[in-house]
């Protein structure tokens, strides 16, 4: 027994036996140790005053007006934001776009800060970033001088772990990297790819299946650990962490079939992971329209916006109030009609 | 002679009544106290006390009715539900509405908010406080119009402070980073409640998070979590506070191969809270629903609720008929 954690895991009876204390002494010891490690409180008013005082980190603007409005100016610092959606819907586009906004000089509407981009799917494209950068100039923003383009791109540090083990290693060293690049954003694109390929989908295949590292239970353990690390990092350094996630087909339940003939899709990695994220943004495609909705947020109601993918990344379009009815309801479900065969197109 | 009515009965052949009389003549009190009632409370007293203790309302009438008028003080109440269904919203709403003045049958207390997930958003909480202030002001005006201007005047003169800053000052937030801190906080809770006797509500949002991350020894987890539950029950009773626990859900695979969502932390945790409510999405109407599935005295039931800009509210009247609950 060496740490406070060890003491906390024991009852007064264990302490009496182990240390030869009386009941009173054991309780005294417990409450003394507890008093030492209980963090101090702050009232909600203190916290609000601190937020509005100006020295708090600014939220990261996404440039999508409805979203920024709903989220009070942008992605909140200090928490994990998750992007969920099927392949090709624009998750990585949004990641690139936000990385660029963070890295752009302040004179050009950015934050002039570093970005750490953890790319597990090898989808990071510096060319796309440069293209977005130039497109921004064309879209009314002041042109970024060619000399500054490389400066902007240099602010973005890319890590490409190839296995869950390497990803965990990357997360270990993340704090160091973040501080060195003075990053104001961490992107993890995607959390699901490695976990879903390396771990079996059935508990029965634990450790035996060819190439599978472990069972789904182990996978959830690893994910939980990563979530804790990311959350601790986000909070201690006061920056937003953006994580993308894939979708998976939900096991069909009787009566749960949606009109249109498609099965329901849901975010991958299960509910335990979903509990870990603070903010979940769902990107979905219905026919040829694309929608982004806030599916889980402690700070705003569920809002939906429609967007198109343009040269500068995601752009909001306003097509009036009418929204397909599939977009309302359970935020864990994605109303995706399988009119485009994702399997054939992106498999 | 050893005291206690049991021994003389077998040793002297007296009836229990005679033995009792002998012991009283000898001056040996059976219970060792002057009043035989000491240590007991009559059910009548308990009934009166629980009727007198104000409930903490959720601001959704149907949900409050489901809970027998609101969240009860002196008890542990658990809400479980899928991510995004509104657990944190409900927690923040309760932390605000516990401060509703006694003139409106509120608890007029303060709240402790234990944030284990980093989800407590103070700006959102300010919105809910604004909503509550509007609501209470409207109620006070209504009372004044009905010839009872006491509350409206108290609000105006500041005798009853019910504005957003004072509401937010009445919420003590603890940000908990791992289970060690959480266990320590639970140990310290009685001391805190002694120092701040005005606290009527303690919210844990969520009770589960840290215990699902880095515990590999499940037997130890069960032991620690059960001990924690016991401490919370004791604190709720001793200090007359409502303890509200937000719990996550987990997927359980059933024998027939299908799966369903059940509260996390396992079977033995089921004894921790005296009232348990599952928050879920209605399959038919796509609204948020609360389902009471454990209560010592209330029938199981279901109520729909909505998360609005002002906080938790009932469904608008038009849509309520359409949902046909």
């Amino acid at each position: 027994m060496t740490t406070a954690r060890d003491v906390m895991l024991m009852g007064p009876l264990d302490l009496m036996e182990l240390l030869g204390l009386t009941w009173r002494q054991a309780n005294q010891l417990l409450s003394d140790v507890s008093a030492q490690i209980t963090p101090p409180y702050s009232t909600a008013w203190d916290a609000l005053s601190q937020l509005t005082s100006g020295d708090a980190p600014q939220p990261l603007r996404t440039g999508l007006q409805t979203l920024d409005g709903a989220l009070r100016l942008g992605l909140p610092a200090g928490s994990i934001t998750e992007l969920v959606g099927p392949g090709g819907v624009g998750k990585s586009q949004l990641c690139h776009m936000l990385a660029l906004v963070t890295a752009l000089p302040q004179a050009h509407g950015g934050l002039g800060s570093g970005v750490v981009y953890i790319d597990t799917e090898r989808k990071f494209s510096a060319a796309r970033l440069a293209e977005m950068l130039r497109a921004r100039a064309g879209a009314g923003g002041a042109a970024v001088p060619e000399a500054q383009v490389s400066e902007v791109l240099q602010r973005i540090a890319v890590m490409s772990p190839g296995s869950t083990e390497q990803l965990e290693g990357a997360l270990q060293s993340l704090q160091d990297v973040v501080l060195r690049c003075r990053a104001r954003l961490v992107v993890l694109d995607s959390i699901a790819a490695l976990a879903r390929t390396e771990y079996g989908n059935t508990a029965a295949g634990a450790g035996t299946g060819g190439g599978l590292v472990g069972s789904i239970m182990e996978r959830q353990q690893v994910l939980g650990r990563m979530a804790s690390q990311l959350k601790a990092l986000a909070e201690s350094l006061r920056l937003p962490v953006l994580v993308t996630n894939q979708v998976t087909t939900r096991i069909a339940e009787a009566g749960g079939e949606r009109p249109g003939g498609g099965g329901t899709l849901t975010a991958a990695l299960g509910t335990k992971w979903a509990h870990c994220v603070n903010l979940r943004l769902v990107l979905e495609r219905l026919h040829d329209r694309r929608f982004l909705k806030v599916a889980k947020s402690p700070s705003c109601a569920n809002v939906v916006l429609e967007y198109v993918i343009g040269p500068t990344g995601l752009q909001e379009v306003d097509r009036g109030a009418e929204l397909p009815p599939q977009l309302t309801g359970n935020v864990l479900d994605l109303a995706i009609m399988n009119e485009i065969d994702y399997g054939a197109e992106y498999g | 002679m050893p005291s206690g009515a049991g021994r003389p009965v077998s040793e002297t052949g007296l009836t229990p009544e005679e033995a009792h009389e002998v012991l009283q003549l000898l001056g040996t009190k059976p219970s060792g106290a002057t009043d035989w009632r000491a240590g007991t409370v009559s059910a009548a007293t308990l009934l009166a006390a629980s009727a007198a203790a104000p409930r903490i309302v959720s601001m959704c009438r149907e949900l409050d009715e489901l809970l027998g008028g609101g969240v009860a003080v002196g008890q542990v109440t658990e809400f479980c539900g899928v991510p995004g269904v509104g657990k944190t919203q409900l927690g923040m709403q309760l932390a605000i509405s516990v401060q509703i003045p006694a003139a409106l049958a509120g608890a007029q207390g303060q709240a402790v908010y234990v944030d284990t997930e980093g989800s407590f958003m103070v700006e959102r909480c300010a919105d809910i406080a604004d909503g509550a202030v509007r609501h209470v002001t409207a109620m006070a005006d209504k009372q004044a119009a009905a010839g009872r201007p006491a509350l409206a005047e108290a609000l105006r003169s500041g005798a009853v402070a019910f504005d957003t800053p004072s509401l937010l000052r009445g919420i003590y937030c603890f940000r908990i980073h791992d289970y060690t801190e959480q266990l320590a906080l639970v140990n310290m809770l009685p001391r805190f409640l002694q120092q701040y006797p005005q606290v009527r509500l303690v919210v844990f949002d969520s009770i589960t998070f840290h215990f699902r991350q880095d515990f590999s020894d499940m037997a130890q987890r069960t032991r620690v979590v059960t001990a924690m539950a016991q401490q919370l029950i004791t604190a709720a009773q001793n200090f007359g506070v409502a303890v509200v626990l937000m719990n996550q859900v987990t997927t359980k695979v059933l024998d027939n191969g299908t799966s369903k969502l059940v509260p996390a932390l396992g079977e033995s945790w089921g004894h921790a809270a005296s009232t348990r409510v599952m928050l879920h999405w209605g399959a038919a109407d796509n609204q948020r629903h609360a389902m009471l599935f454990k209560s010592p005295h209330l029938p199981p039931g279901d109520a729909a609720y909505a998360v609005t800009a002002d906080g938790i509210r009932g469904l608008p009247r038009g849509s309520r008929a359409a949902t046909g609950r």
Side-chain angles (χ1 to χ4, degrees), chain A residues 5 41-42 72 235 272 298, chain B residues 89 127 173 175 196 212:
Chain A
R5 166 164 294 193
Y41 72 82
S42 63
R72 295 157 212 279
E235 196 146 319
K272 180 176 171 178
Chain B
Q89 302 292 319
D127 284 355
C173 303
R175 176 73 179 97
Y196 297 85
R212 286 184 89 179

Side-chain angles (χ1 to χ4, degrees), chain B residues 18-322:
Chain B
E18 286 168 338
H20 190 79
E21 203 172 319
V22 169
L23 283 172
Q24 279 195 324
L25 284 173
L26 282 170
T28 318
K29 308 291 189 301
S31 62
T34 43
D35 181 8
W36 65 270
R37 282 177 185 273
T40 71
V41 187
S42 82
T45 318
L46 285 177
L47 180 67
S50 78
R55 299 269 176 150
I56 303 166
V57 296
S58 66
M59 305 288 262
C60 166
R61 186 185 299 272
E62 287 78 12
L63 180 54
D64 290 335
E65 280 168 5
L66 187 73
L67 296 171
V71 174
V73 297
Q75 283 186 15
V76 179
T77 306
E78 176 183 336
F79 293 94
C80 7
V82 294
V85 77
K87 297 189 295 294
T88 300
Q89 302 292 319
L90 182 58
M92 290 193 281
Q93 178 69 63
L94 291 172
I96 294 291
S97 51
V98 69
Q99 308 186 48
I100 289 176
L104 288 172
Q108 201 168 344
Q110 292 186 334
V112 170
Y113 200 100
V114 184
D115 178 19
T116 65
E117 301 189 356
S119 287
F120 183 83
M121 291 285 156
V122 66
E123 304 106 308
R124 173 65 182 144
C125 204
D127 284 355
I128 297 178
D130 289 342
V133 169
R134 272 195 293 277
H135 180 80
V136 164
T137 316
M139 294 284 278
D141 290 347
K142 218 187 239 173
Q143 280 195 355
R148 286 176 292 143
L151 180 61
E153 271 164 25
L155 285 174
R156 208 169 302 126
S157 69
V160 173
F162 200 84
D163 48 40
T164 304
S166 65
L167 284 176
L168 293 182
R169 280 194 196 98
I171 303 177
Y172 304 99
C173 303
F174 287 90
R175 176 73 179 97
I176 297 293
H177 298 89
D178 56 31
Y179 69 79
T180 312
E181 286 185 4
Q182 189 172 340
L183 291 170
L185 176 70
V186 172
N187 279 333
M188 292 309 295
L189 197 56
R191 197 181 286 184
F192 186 87
L193 292 175
Q194 222 157 23
Q195 265 176 32
Y196 297 85
Q198 67 276 31
V199 170
R200 286 275 81 81
L201 170 74
V202 180
V203 180
F204 280 83
D205 179 25
S206 68
I207 193 83
T208 332
F209 181 71
H210 296 304
F211 291 97
R212 286 184 89 179
Q213 306 315 325
D214 32 26
F215 252 90
S216 46
D217 182 349
M218 283 298 146
Q220 188 185 43
R221 186 181 89 168
T222 305
R223 198 174 58 84
V224 168
V225 162
T226 316
M228 180 173 71
Q230 197 55 47
Q231 282 175 292
L232 291 175
I233 293 170
T234 312
Q237 280 172 345
N238 289 353
F239 295 94
V241 299
V243 175
V244 170
L245 309 177
M246 299 299 170
N247 193 359
Q248 302 179 346
V249 292
T250 185
T251 313
K252 185 180 183 181
V253 180
L254 302 175
D255 290 340
N256 59 9
T258 58
S259 60
K260 71 169 193 172
L261 290 173
V262 296
L265 294 180
E267 296 291 330
S268 60
W269 174 256
H271 303 288
S274 54
T275 304
R276 304 185 83 190
V277 179
M278 176 66 101
L279 305 179
H280 64 103
W281 287 89
D285 57 5
N286 274 330
Q287 298 291 349
R288 294 173 160 96
H289 283 252
M291 183 183 68
L292 182 71
F293 66 100
K294 180 190 172 191
S295 166
H297 56 96
L298 292 164
D302 189 275
Y305 66 98
V307 177
T308 71
D310 280 356
I312 304 281
R313 293 291 186 275
L315 296 186
R317 292 198 188 285
S319 68
R320 201 177 302 161

Side-chain angles (χ1 to χ4, degrees), chain A residues 132-142 311-312 315:
Chain A
M132 281 184 179
L133 194 55
R134 291 192 186 100
R136 280 181 79 91
T312 60
Q315 287 163 334

Side-chain angles (χ1 to χ4, degrees), chain A residues 256-264 336-339:
Chain A
E257 207 75 0
R258 290 199 180 262
T264 47
I336 291 166
M337 294 192 287
N338 281 350
E339 297 195 351

Side-chain angles (χ1 to χ4, degrees), chain A residues 67-128:
Chain A
L67 185 63
D68 285 344
L71 297 177
R72 295 157 212 279
L73 298 179
L75 298 189
S79 60
I80 301 186
T81 301
E82 184 195 30
L83 296 176
V84 190
V89 78
K91 299 190 299 291
S92 297
Q93 297 274 357
L94 187 51
C95 289
H96 280 76
M97 195 172 128
L98 290 172
L100 189 62
V101 170
T102 311
L104 269 183
Q106 277 168 345
H108 296 271
L111 297 176
S113 310
V115 176
V116 179
Y117 200 109
I118 306 173
D119 176 32
T120 65
E121 297 184 6
R122 309 291 156 116
K123 284 202 291 201
F124 179 80
S125 158
R128 178 74 181 109

